[in-house]
């Protein structure tokens, strides 16, 4: 679909609630159309789309204006280019970067994204399943999410996308010391973060289930129930709350 056709579509359907583009090659003109026709009640999802260099720059600008996509799923783009649009952004709800280059490239891109998350105000889903994370990127991501106000779902699984499906990324076995270090980074993050209630990890982490059950799961359960506690605090008299909450 070219940009003029996309603009015509948007004009003809002003009450559209959801626009999903998959496997579309996009340039700056496509991105400008998405920005021009953005509305608070319109979800725009880009799945496995390939953006030109100019398209990535245009996308960063419209994200910076709180316009354009609400979800970016596995799009082929230099993610270090769009990070300026994530500062203070309150529109993008879901971000799934993909390991589209060398490990050095994805490290650079993930570190760039992590650097903006402290100022981001919208992400609910942050899925790093398709990124090969080094020790540095793991620690930096955890640190950047400590004060994120809206994130609920974090995936740190390790998969690689192929034409025939997904398969685990080619990573060697992690030592117990590395597992403990990474789990401790998650614990330190959850001691501060009060919104994340679901974390998905590579299978090898569940071999050390006691490490997860002790420090990790109680924090996630607390965050999952926090909205109910807040609802009780708002709607019930203090005598009732005292009996329920102690």
């Amino acid at each position: 679909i070219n940009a003029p056709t996309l603009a015509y579509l948007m004009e003809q359907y002003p009450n559209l609630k959801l626009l999903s583009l998959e496997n579309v090659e996009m340039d700056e003109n496509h991105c400008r159309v998405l920005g021009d026709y953005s509305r608070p009640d319109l979800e725009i999802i880009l799945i496995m789309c390939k953006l030109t260099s100019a398209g990535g720059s245009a996308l960063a600008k419209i994200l910076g204006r709180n316009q354009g996509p609400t979800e970016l799923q596995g799009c082929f783009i230099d993610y270090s280019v769009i990070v300026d649009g994530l500062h203070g952004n309150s529109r993008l709800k879901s971000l799934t970067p993909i390991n589209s280059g060398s490990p050095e490239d994805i490290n650079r891109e993930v570190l760039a994204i992590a650097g903006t998350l402290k100022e981001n105000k919208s992400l609910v889903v942050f899925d790093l399943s398709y990124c090969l994370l080094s020790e540095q990127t793991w620690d930096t991501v955890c640190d950047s999410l400590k004060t994120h106000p809206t994130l609920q779902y974090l995936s740190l699984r390790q998969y690689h996308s192929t034409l025939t499906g997904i398969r685990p990324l080619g990573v060697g076995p992690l030592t117990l010391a590395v597992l403990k270090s990474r789990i401790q980074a998650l614990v330190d993050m959850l001691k501060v973060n009060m919104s994340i209630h679901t974390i998905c990890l590579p299978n090898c982490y569940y071999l050390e289930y006691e490490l997860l059950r002790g420090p990790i799961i109680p924090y996630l359960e607390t965050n999952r129930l926090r909205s109910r506690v807040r609802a009780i605090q708002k709607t019930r008299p203090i005598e009732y709350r005292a009996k329920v909450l102690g």
Side-chain angles (χ1 to χ4, degrees):
I1 183 170
N2 58 36
T5 303
L6 180 60
Y8 178 79
L9 170 71
M10 303 296 282
E11 290 174 356
Q12 296 302 306
Y13 296 94
N15 296 320
L16 191 68
K17 299 299 182 184
L18 170 64
L19 173 68
S20 179
L21 301 177
E22 185 170 356
N23 291 315
V24 175
E25 293 189 7
M26 303 180 65
D27 57 24
E28 65 271 29
N29 295 318
H30 290 89
C31 294
R32 291 192 187 105
V33 170
L34 295 182
D36 291 342
Y37 290 93
S38 291
R39 303 189 313 271
D41 63 340
L42 173 61
E43 292 185 59
I44 300 177
I45 303 174
L46 304 185
I47 304 172
M48 302 293 286
C49 293
K50 184 176 182 180
L51 281 80
T52 64
S53 177
S57 299
L59 180 61
K61 291 179 180 178
I62 66 172
L63 288 173
R65 299 195 299 263
N66 284 318
Q67 298 174 332
T70 54
E71 296 185 28
L72 290 174
Q73 299 183 16
C75 293
F76 296 94
I77 180 177
D78 185 344
Y79 287 92
S80 62
V81 172
I82 69 167
V83 293
D84 287 341
L86 298 179
H87 285 283
N89 179 279
S90 58
R91 178 169 172 84
L92 188 68
K93 306 301 181 185
S94 178
L95 177 61
T96 305
I98 190 169
N99 190 7
S100 56
S102 66
E104 292 76 16
D105 288 335
I106 199 61
N107 273 344
R108 172 180 54 81
E109 294 174 356
V110 172
L111 288 173
I113 294 172
T116 70
L117 293 180
K118 294 180 180 180
E119 301 176 28
N120 180 269
K121 302 176 182 178
S122 63
L123 279 183
V124 176
V125 175
F126 188 30
D127 189 345
L128 291 168
S129 297
Y130 304 100
C131 297
L132 181 59
L133 301 180
S134 65
E135 298 306 308
Q136 180 187 13
T137 49
W138 184 285
D139 291 343
T140 302
V141 167
C142 290
D143 183 67
S144 67
L145 292 177
K146 286 181 179 178
T147 57
H148 197 284
T150 59
L151 194 71
Q152 298 178 13
Y153 177 94
L154 173 65
S155 180
L156 298 168
R157 292 181 183 272
Q158 306 275 263
Y159 289 112
H160 178 67
S161 178
T162 67
L163 293 177
T164 57
I166 58 175
R167 61 180 176 81
L169 281 168
V171 295
L174 300 177
T175 66
L176 181 58
V178 171
L179 285 176
K180 288 183 176 180
S181 174
R182 292 191 172 192
I183 290 175
Q184 186 60 51
L186 292 174
V187 173
D188 292 341
M189 180 262 291
L190 289 171
K191 287 179 179 179
V192 181
N193 185 286
M194 295 186 179
S195 62
I196 294 177
H197 59 60
T198 301
I199 296 179
C200 295
L201 296 167
N203 290 336
C204 62
Y205 287 75
Y206 297 99
L207 298 177
E208 302 295 336
Y209 183 70
E210 291 301 319
L211 293 175
L212 297 176
R213 186 174 68 175
I216 295 290
I217 293 178
Y219 282 111
L220 298 179
E221 291 178 342
T222 298
N223 288 344
R224 186 174 292 115
L225 297 174
R226 193 179 303 277
S227 60
R228 299 184 185 181
V229 174
R230 287 173 176 165
I232 293 173
Q233 290 173 337
K234 291 180 179 179
T235 61
R236 300 290 186 177
I238 191 169
E239 295 81 5
Y240 181 88
R241 296 203 305 265
K243 292 178 181 179
V244 174
L245 302 177

